[in-house]
Amino acid sequence: MSWAATVLTLYPEMFPGPLGHSLAGRALEEEIWSLETVNIRDHATDKHASVDDTPAGGGAGMVLKPDVLAAAIDASAGETERPRLLMSPRGAPLTQSRVAQLAEGPGAVLICGRFEGVDERVIEARNLEEVSIGDYVLSGGEPAALVLLDAVVRLLPDVMGNALSGEAESFSGGLLEYPHYTRPRSWEGRDIPEVLLSGDHGRIAKWRAERSEELTQSRRPDLWAARRHTTD
Ligand code: ADE
């Protein structure tokens, strides 16, 4: 059984987009995961096929209608095994641990908001989990859904060629990754750090751990603080 993604969107042509290429694209061809898109507009009921309306209480923008979105969810993702994620800047920030959790499950239903937002009642009634990919505002949830799916798919069994390269990378251990180098040994007057050419695996591991810690402390004091609290 492959990991099943269903994406509800007003722009189904945005998918698979970048996920049709590289690692995720190969995994899609190999049926390690599947991707179904649902056009929310196909579930509109009036003669103009309207999906949005003006906000109650006034104000700018338009709000996605609850009846239309609920009909789209019920028709394509009525089962409750898969979490239903609403991509929204108001959501809980996406983390590597939530991504890993999703990868271990049967799949996910991703709902891409547009306009000013989604009627609050459908969020409650259909048990939608709001997820944000960062503290900035996109024009719609589609790029956020692509980001989330990319992060999940690379963790699915048999997707990453070298499973070990997933272990040392940023965030898995709560730290940023150490710097990488490859040939040539000297480039534009900059040399590969001597220790990496020493063949001394103990010294190399120590150097990498120190660089990871330095980078995390200076760039991500939030990650550094969180790590210290769990190890103290
Ligand atoms: N839709 C608009 N902005 C978003 C964000 N930062 N994360 C997830 N979905 C969004």
Side-chain angles (χ1 to χ4, degrees), residues 87-89 131-134 136-138 140-141 144:
M87 309 317 296
S88 157
V131 175
S132 167
I133 63 158
Y136 38 79
V137 181
L138 307 169

Side-chain angles (χ1 to χ4, degrees), residues 13-33:
E13 61 280 7
M14 289 192 191
F15 296 85
L19 300 178
H21 303 270
S22 189
L23 212 70
R26 253 188 324 271
L28 193 55
E29 272 172 25
E30 290 168 7
E31 298 182 7
I32 293 172
W33 70 294

Side-chain angles (χ1 to χ4, degrees), residues 77-93:
E79 34 81 20
T80 52
E81 284 78 57
R82 292 178 297 166
R84 295 163 171 172
L85 312 175
L86 173 63
M87 309 317 296
S88 157
R90 244 180 43 165

Side-chain angles (χ1 to χ4, degrees), residues 187-219:
W187 175 77
E188 291 192 351
R190 298 163 191 270
D191 296 341
I192 295 178
E194 181 279 327
V195 56
L196 299 180
L197 308 171
S198 69
D200 182 336
H201 298 299
R203 271 181 70 213
I204 292 171
K206 182 166 174 284
W207 182 88
R208 286 177 167 168
E210 287 167 358
R211 296 293 81 70
S212 274
E213 290 175 6
E214 248 173 36
L215 277 172
T216 308
Q217 283 185 63
S218 65
R219 290 186 188 171

